[in-house]
Amino acid sequence: MPATTQITLNAPLDMHLHLRDGEMLHNIAKASAKTFSGAVIMPNLVPPVSSKEEVVAYKARIMEAVGDEKFIPYMTLFFKPGYNRSFLESVKDEISAIKLYPAGITTNSEGGVSGFDIEELRPALEAMSDLGIPLCIHGETNGFVMDREAEFVSIYEKLATAFPNLKIIMEHITTKESVAALDRFENLYATITVHHLMITLDDVAGGMLQPHLFCKPIAKRPEDREALLKVALTAHPKVMFGSDSAPHPRHAKESCGCAAGVFTAPIALQLLAELFVSNNAPLENLQAFVSDNARHIYGLTPLKKEVILERTPFNIPSEYNGVVPMHASETINYTIKEVRYG
Amino acid sequence: MPATTQITLNAPLDMHLHLRDGEMLHNIAKASAKTFSGAVIMPNLVPPVSSKEEVVAYKARIMEAVGDEKFIPYMTLFFKPGYNRSFLESVKDEISAIKLYPAGITTNSEGGVSGFDIEELRPALEAMSDLGIPLCIHGETNGFVMDREAEFVSIYEKLATAFPNLKIIMEHITTKESVAALDRFENLYATITVHHLMITLDDVAGGMLQPHLFCKPIAKRPEDREALLKVALTAHPKVMFGSDSAPHPRHAKESCGCAAGVFTAPIALQLLAELFVSNNAPLENLQAFVSDNARHIYGLTPLKKEVILERTPFNIPSEYNGVVPMHASETINYTIKEVRYG
């Protein structure tokens, strides 16, 4: 039996996940919890998660939604420049990272950072650096949609230089410029989604317009996708899988003014298996991309969970509890056969 | 009273219009016929309009849908490499141009041209050149969505060189590369839509995804829009207004797999008036852009029709017979006060 007919992943981690809240949280949390050992949970609720009490309460709501599944939500705070050292010390044990949004750049980011004045940010970022709290950043300017991420690279560089011991994670990178920045600064890391490894703007808007493939950052050019694929398939040690899976109800996607976000949580591992196998990438690279690199970068010891994928056609459902997944109703080549707890 | 509180346009012409057929034709034909003196009608029906009988019959259906309005539909044929001289001579008096679609590039273009072999095209294009029939082209390759039009410029140049007496009209241009080509070849002309003068990809996909602004060619970069604006506002003599107004029912736009096309027919002149005034462009340039240049290029004598616009807020309807227009439910500054027949 060829090795690729069955693939075992140890403790897969989704290092960038939107679980939302309320009814949506209950509708979609298990989709991640079933097959991932844990996930870094984005804090852009309304209002954003920005106090210890909010983190603790949100984590409890997630655990309730997850039910019997074994799953660790790695919690984050929504970055505010006013966070001081004593607050960060007090909240440190409840969180795995802090997420910075430039103001108004994506869903529920209105309260984010405007301008990137190093001196204004210094107290909070130095304290994070000292306390070993990673800074996750949605790196886009408010420039032209195809240029926003490349324009933001100079801000990543400014921050990486000013805070050399702060772990800065460039979230859901989509461009060759961000990939290139990885190797120029020791303290820059990145997450990459599965959809940005698969699609370009052509898939979103080159034929009919595909709202279910519309996300922020928007999918870019073929040469950008190639650069992302290269570091993912070779398991560049500073690169981690983060799905940025973002559920919206169908009506919010198929309407005049479609919300940004691709829902991949229930199919991410199957798609990644197919992607690595079809590109002849070693399966140990897949293991590193979906788990090992993240363990090293974040210093995590995940829950023991083995996910066994099999090369068997899988028909992606048209909806998961009202949310349309990427490639809805299409057939992919890998299916999840079994999940084993250790 | 400042001159711009009232604007009179003589015989406005829409040099690129989709009227479709059947129920849709009846729903939207009057929107153009009310305010335009005439329009060049695209032939991409199913099946495409490609015989004399089809042209004559389609024109009759249009005139029926137009009803009492005074309006000339300038008919076109769907280009096929097999058109020979005797056929073209026989159909010449029924058409104003022939429209060439690369195969599969936009709505109902499956029967278009694959490859641009000059010798294969020579019999038809030389006959058109001799008979004075302009060739209208949807100029996109099947490359990456943001590059398709710029990549096609080399084909425009090949055709312009091989057939120096053939009037070639680059339809609905969207890039600085196409604008630059205008001045390099005497026999290249262009139409420009009102939406490509107003929007970039940012408006389509920079915030929420806006299906009603999705069209082919897709709106491009800010520097492309600037180049288009410059030749429109200065009334470059080789540039004509062509709305490319393309109606689709609401459900075909707000869905998974949204059809390409922006519906501007009923508001195009109002938007153009606002655009020229807000950019301090001389109103004679607006007249040239929406009528005079087209008369010279096509050698037309349009129906006498005076359209009087007034600077009065106009609330764009949310729908016109089931079709959502550009800027639906928004307010613009110009309204059509009166249409006079002479």
Side-chain angles (χ1 to χ4, degrees):
Chain A
M1 183 161 86
T4 54
T5 57
Q6 193 162 299
I7 297 172
T8 301
L9 297 175
N10 285 300
L13 296 167
D14 180 349
M15 301 308 286
H16 186 125
L17 178 64
H18 294 273
L19 286 180
R20 309 300 187 204
D21 209 345
E23 188 186 349
M24 182 59 88
L25 168 63
H26 278 265
N27 283 342
I28 55 101
K30 285 182 182 167
S32 293
K34 273 184 188 165
T35 55
F36 287 92
S37 190
V40 173
I41 310 300
M42 292 299 117
N44 56 332
L45 305 183
V46 183
V49 179
S50 51
S51 71
K52 186 172 176 176
E53 295 67 33
E54 286 166 335
V55 169
V56 171
Y58 186 32
K59 186 174 182 177
R61 294 198 297 280
I62 292 169
M63 292 315 292
E64 192 201 333
V66 159
D68 293 338
E69 302 292 345
K70 295 196 192 309
F71 178 76
I72 299 179
Y74 299 103
M75 304 304 292
T76 63
L77 278 179
F78 187 101
F79 180 83
K80 294 190 172 179
Y83 288 159
N84 60 30
R85 188 173 297 256
S86 67
F87 167 72
L88 292 168
E89 277 170 355
S90 75
V91 76
K92 179 179 176 303
D93 292 341
E94 300 295 339
I95 60 173
S96 296
I98 296 182
K99 173 77 183 286
L100 185 156
Y101 292 90
I105 220 66
T106 193
T107 309
N108 305 336
S109 65
E110 292 70 20
V113 172
S114 295
F116 281 83
D117 181 81
I118 294 293
E119 293 319 310
E120 187 197 352
L121 301 173
R122 187 177 295 281
L125 296 188
E126 275 191 349
M128 286 173 62
S129 180
D130 295 345
L131 296 167
I133 305 171
L135 177 69
C136 303
I137 302 185
H138 179 127
E140 290 195 289
T141 68
N142 57 6
F144 179 65
V145 62
M146 294 296 279
D147 301 341
R148 289 172 189 172
E149 183 175 300
E151 287 174 0
F152 198 88
V153 169
S154 64
I155 300 176
Y156 279 131
E157 296 185 347
K158 191 164 85 165
L159 294 169
T161 305
F163 307 99
N165 296 315
L166 178 67
K167 282 190 176 170
I168 299 173
I169 297 152
M170 305 186 287
E171 294 294 333
H172 46 54
I173 61 170
T174 64
T175 61
K176 59 184 169 44
E177 287 81 4
S178 296
V179 169
L182 270 179
D183 290 326
R184 286 206 302 278
F185 291 85
E186 206 176 327
N187 56 332
L188 284 185
Y189 302 84
T191 58
I192 302 180
T193 75
V194 65
H195 52 282
H196 287 114
L197 292 174
M198 298 177 68
I199 67 172
T200 69
L201 185 67
D202 256 354
D203 298 281
V204 185
M208 307 280 257
L209 194 65
Q210 301 297 343
H212 297 291
L213 299 181
F214 171 62
C215 58
K216 296 191 173 191
I218 202 161
K220 300 294 189 312
R221 302 181 51 89
E223 57 269 31
D224 293 309
R225 179 177 161 272
E226 287 305 313
L228 299 172
L229 260 180
K230 189 177 172 198
V231 285
L233 296 175
T234 59
H236 188 298
K238 296 174 84 180
V239 164
M240 306 167 268
F241 172 63
S243 71
D244 195 16
S245 181
H248 295 281
R250 181 186 284 271
H251 64 78
K253 293 292 286 180
E254 299 175 9
S255 63
C256 177
C258 144
V262 179
F263 183 59
T264 54
I267 54 167
L269 293 177
Q270 300 92 313
L271 292 174
L272 285 170
E274 183 157 348
L275 192 68
F276 274 67
V277 170
S278 66
N279 281 282
N280 298 311
L283 293 180
E284 58 262 37
N285 291 4
L286 176 57
Q287 174 64 35
F289 180 62
V290 300
S291 184
D292 303 353
N293 288 357
R295 297 187 212 187
H296 298 143
I297 294 167
Y298 272 79
L300 302 175
T301 306
L303 282 180
K304 289 206 167 77
K305 198 179 231 181
E306 273 189 352
V307 178
I308 295 134
L309 294 123
E310 198 174 60
R311 192 172 178 88
T312 301
F314 172 59
N315 301 313
I316 299 178
S318 60
E319 282 189 11
Y320 287 89
N321 291 332
V323 179
V324 179
M326 185 180 183
H327 291 336
S329 307
E330 294 179 24
T331 301
I332 55 178
N333 289 323
Y334 279 87
T335 192
I336 289 175
K337 190 191 169 197
E338 192 185 346
V339 178
R340 288 189 198 136
Y341 300 95
Chain B
M1 180 160 87
T4 53
T5 58
Q6 193 160 299
I7 297 171
T8 301
L9 297 174
N10 285 300
L13 295 167
D14 181 347
M15 301 307 286
H16 187 124
L17 178 64
H18 294 274
L19 288 180
R20 311 300 187 202
D21 210 346
E23 188 186 349
M24 182 58 88
L25 170 63
H26 279 265
N27 283 343
I28 55 104
K30 285 182 180 167
S32 293
K34 272 183 187 164
T35 54
F36 287 93
S37 190
V40 174
I41 311 300
M42 292 300 116
N44 56 332
L45 305 183
V46 183
V49 180
S50 52
S51 71
K52 185 172 176 177
E53 295 66 35
E54 286 166 334
V55 170
V56 171
Y58 186 31
K59 185 174 184 177
R61 295 197 298 279
I62 292 169
M63 293 314 293
E64 192 202 332
V66 160
D68 292 339
E69 303 290 345
K70 293 193 192 314
F71 176 77
I72 299 179
Y74 298 103
M75 304 305 292
T76 63
L77 278 179
F78 187 101
F79 181 83
K80 295 192 171 177
Y83 288 160
N84 61 30
R85 189 172 295 258
S86 67
F87 167 72
L88 293 168
E89 278 169 355
S90 75
V91 76
K92 178 178 178 301
D93 293 341
E94 300 296 337
I95 59 172
S96 295
I98 295 180
K99 174 77 183 289
L100 185 155
Y101 293 88
I105 219 67
T106 192
T107 310
N108 305 335
S109 65
E110 292 71 18
V113 172
S114 295
F116 281 84
D117 181 79
I118 294 293
E119 293 318 310
E120 187 198 353
L121 301 173
R122 187 176 296 282
L125 295 187
E126 275 192 348
M128 286 174 61
S129 180
D130 295 345
L131 296 168
I133 304 172
L135 177 70
C136 303
I137 302 184
H138 181 125
E140 290 194 288
T141 68
N142 56 6
F144 179 64
V145 62
M146 294 297 277
D147 300 342
R148 289 173 189 172
E149 183 175 301
E151 287 174 359
F152 198 88
V153 169
S154 65
I155 299 176
Y156 279 132
E157 296 185 347
K158 190 164 84 165
L159 293 169
T161 304
F163 307 100
N165 297 314
L166 178 66
K167 284 190 176 171
I168 299 173
I169 297 154
M170 303 186 287
E171 295 294 334
H172 46 54
I173 61 171
T174 64
T175 60
K176 58 183 170 46
E177 287 81 4
S178 295
V179 169
L182 270 179
D183 290 326
R184 285 207 303 276
F185 291 85
E186 206 176 330
N187 55 332
L188 284 185
Y189 302 84
T191 57
I192 303 180
T193 75
V194 64
H195 52 281
H196 288 114
L197 293 173
M198 299 177 68
I199 67 172
T200 69
L201 185 67
D202 256 354
D203 298 280
V204 185
M208 307 279 258
L209 193 66
Q210 300 297 342
H212 296 291
L213 299 180
F214 171 62
C215 58
K216 296 194 173 188
I218 202 162
K220 301 293 189 313
R221 301 181 53 89
E223 57 269 31
D224 293 309
R225 178 177 162 272
E226 287 305 313
L228 299 171
L229 260 181
K230 188 174 172 199
V231 286
L233 296 175
T234 58
H236 188 297
K238 296 173 83 179
V239 165
M240 306 167 269
F241 171 64
S243 70
D244 196 17
S245 180
H248 294 281
R250 183 187 284 273
H251 64 79
K253 293 293 285 180
E254 299 175 10
S255 62
C256 178
C258 144
V262 179
F263 184 58
T264 54
I267 53 166
L269 294 177
Q270 300 92 311
L271 293 173
L272 286 170
E274 185 159 346
L275 192 68
F276 275 66
V277 169
S278 66
N279 282 281
N280 298 311
L283 292 180
E284 58 262 35
N285 290 6
L286 176 57
Q287 174 62 36
F289 181 62
V290 300
S291 184
D292 303 352
N293 288 357
R295 296 187 214 189
H296 298 141
I297 295 167
Y298 273 80
L300 301 176
T301 306
L303 280 180
K304 289 204 169 80
K305 199 180 230 179
E306 273 189 354
V307 178
I308 295 134
L309 295 123
E310 199 175 60
R311 192 172 177 87
T312 301
F314 173 59
N315 301 313
I316 300 177
S318 60
E319 281 190 11
Y320 286 89
N321 292 331
V323 179
V324 179
M326 184 181 184
H327 291 336
S329 307
E330 294 180 24
T331 301
I332 55 177
N333 289 322
Y334 279 87
T335 191
I336 290 175
K337 189 189 170 197
E338 194 185 344
V339 178
R340 288 188 198 137
Y341 300 95

